[in-house]
Each structure stands twice: as structure tokens, then as C-alpha cells.
Amino acid sequence: DKDDDGDIGVKLETRPKTKRPPMYKVLILNDDYTPMEFVVHVLERFFGMTHAQSVELMMTVHQKGVAVVGVFSHEIAETKVAMVMDFAARHQHPLQCTMEKE
Ligand code: NFA
């Protein structure tokens, strides 16, 4: 079945390891205080969504508690999270934006 000739098996050819970098989901979390219009504005401003897409996603977060806004490389996801958190804090809203490995 296996190694009947007692040699040391050396794998001569493997598929090229094209390891893709991990991707990260950026999430928006619901809260009771951030105005709906502010969340819609954030989605338009930082995620390039249309107004209709933004309203729909905001309502999903409002009703379900959380939603994925997009999937990005680690660096882009980190930047998006930082920009949203900074913008929300500057406007004194408790809106939370986080990232997690896909
Ligand atoms: N739940 C917030 C409200 O009723 C709206 C909201 C939606 C906040 C999505 C955060 C994220 N004002």
C-alpha cells in the first residue's frame, strides 16, 4: 500500500503555494442613540454606497443588530474602521465599527 520499498518519499512537485492574504469583514453595530441619518451618511461617505443602499443596510443593522458593510484587505479594513470611529466620535455618536477575519 504505502512505502513498500522502504525508501524515503520526497515530494518532487507540489502546486505552487499562491496563498491569498486573509480578508476582513467590516461590521457596523446597532446602538440606541446614533441617528439613522448619520449612519446613512457614514455608509455613503466611507463605503461608496448609494443613498438607497445605505438606507437599506442601515435598516438591516437597526433591525438585526449588526451587518457586514464590506470585505477588505487588513490595511483597508483597519483604515475604514478608524475613519468611521473617528467621524462618529467627533460627532459624539456612539456608533461602533469593527473588523473580523473572514
Ligand atoms: N438604532 C438607531 C436609532 O434607532 C439607528 C442605528 C442604525 C444606529 C444602525 C446604529 C446603526 N436611532
Side-chain angles (χ1 to χ4, degrees), residues 33-54:
Y33 305 104
T34 303
M36 289 184 172
E37 319 78 61
F38 183 83
V39 179
V40 170
H41 179 72
V42 162
L43 297 174
E44 291 175 2
R45 172 184 278 233
F46 297 114
F47 297 94
M49 303 176 68
T50 67
H51 187 73
Q53 288 172 332
S54 298

Side-chain angles (χ1 to χ4, degrees), residues 83-102:
M83 293 202 308
V84 172
M85 292 299 283
D86 177 74
F87 190 68
R90 269 165 37 218
H91 290 82
Q92 297 179 281
H93 294 311
L95 182 65
Q96 295 293 303
C97 181
T98 62
M99 60 193 273
E100 64 177 43
K101 200 190 274 185
E102 206 178 25

